[in-house]
Amino acid sequence: MKTELRSTTTPISIPDSSLFNTPQGSLSGALKGCLGGLDGACIEKLLLHCANALESNDVTLAQQVMWVLNNVASSVGDPNQRLTSWFLRALISRACKVSPIAMNLHGTPTLQRTWTRSMTVTELAGYVDLIPWHRFGFCASNSCIFKAIQEFPIVHILDFSITHCMQWPTLIDALAKRPEGPPSLRITVPSCRPPVPPLLNVSTEEVGIRLANFAKSRDVPFEFHVIDGSSSSTSGDVLSSESSSFLLESLLGQLNPSMLDLRDDEALVINCQNWLRYLPDEPGGSTQDISLRDKFLKIIKDLKPRIIIVVDEDLDLDASSLTSRITTCFNYLWIPFDALETFLPKDSFQRMEYEADFGYKIENIIGFKGLQRIERLESGVGLAQRMKNAHFLSVPFSEETVREVQFLLDEHDSGWGMKREDGTLVLTWKGHNSVFATAWVPSGLRD
């Protein structure tokens, strides 16, 4: 972690350290060297100190650390302060589960219910365009897909993503200009999605109608299908995830050639954008000997797709230790907070709304346990090994794809960059990995 990138310039007042001496530990020790101001490294120490107190059920010490954090946290401050405010919320949420009565004592920061809203399609488009967090994956994937389906007259995309098909208008437009003419395009999406933002105020079926109208305007033959099954609400609590695992497991039972209406004359593309992380990686449910994540990979391999795209955030958040997750998360999520600081004012509603979605991630990672913690990210390196273990072969991105992605990044702040690592494209911010994109084929099917 480059703490200098996240340093805060706003000093806070530190109370008399004698107030924080406890039999279990001393908060003054955590504050040593931080008097006069808290930079990223000091804040991280305090967060870990609080986590250790919670894991040892020392609610009193946890409250004391939260009091200090509450003096630096600010939802409209610098990136460090804004990030701290979300970690503080998550820790309070965790503490309330440990000791609800104690955490209501006078002086403890008050936890308001986290709020989100459903966006219009236009607002979602602006959300996606704000920073290249999603567009990087869209661009890399679409370019790779376009190359993989060259000369195929019929294309079927099985789309697993959390961004409501925002990826596809660009691909449809590119297919309309294909020298040999556009293919007949079919997109199939699941009716359920992980209960996470961004949320959309129209149904999946309405999204399909809009895509169909756009394809028609580009003279691209188009079909849109939704895999039948229970759907998760887009208006409820995005952190109420008890049923999410069950819904996703039910979905896997429908991923077969008959239910998907797979056809011999079509090129099948499987697109996974920020999706695999929500499939539990521990054995359970009706498949005691294999995780849903590995079961999903086995199922899609048997579908014999032309290409499989996997895009996700590049960090490992599946550690059982709370302190390990805090360290990893804190040293990663400064990236979007720092990036937004470069071009949006501190009181920008758009900025606060975008940060709130990362706040949901923090609250789930820190505040929840077991299957309620649905944010189980896997690093690009870890994902690559999992895919190889499942007998997939990596497909390197072409130079043309690299050029297209670089052209996209040139539209954004100069802090954004890209690098290649063993066939993987990685989006970076000031040299730090943020999002990875990979392409795969089942072994034995590569041309």
Side-chain angles (χ1 to χ4, degrees), residues 297-315:
L297 295 179
K298 183 179 185 301
I299 290 172
I300 63 173
K301 180 177 183 291
D302 292 341
L303 297 177
K304 298 180 173 61
R306 177 75 180 171
I307 194 78
I308 300 161
I309 307 295
V310 180
V311 175
D312 219 321
E313 295 166 5
D314 194 12
L315 76 162

Side-chain angles (χ1 to χ4, degrees), residues 247-258:
L247 290 173
L248 293 174
E249 185 172 11
S250 298
L251 169 67
L252 299 194
Q254 302 176 66
L255 301 182
N256 59 71
S258 176

Side-chain angles (χ1 to χ4, degrees), residues 27-72:
L27 180 57
S28 60
L31 292 172
K32 186 177 181 180
C34 297
L35 296 177
L38 291 184
D39 62 9
C42 290
I43 291 173
E44 183 181 346
K45 289 178 183 178
L46 285 169
L47 292 172
L48 294 177
H49 206 58
C50 185
N52 283 323
L54 290 175
E55 289 193 315
S56 61
N57 293 320
D58 188 344
V59 177
T60 300
L61 179 57
Q63 282 183 302
Q64 294 168 348
V65 183
M66 290 176 190
W67 189 92
V68 179
L69 288 169
N70 194 48
N71 277 273
V72 71

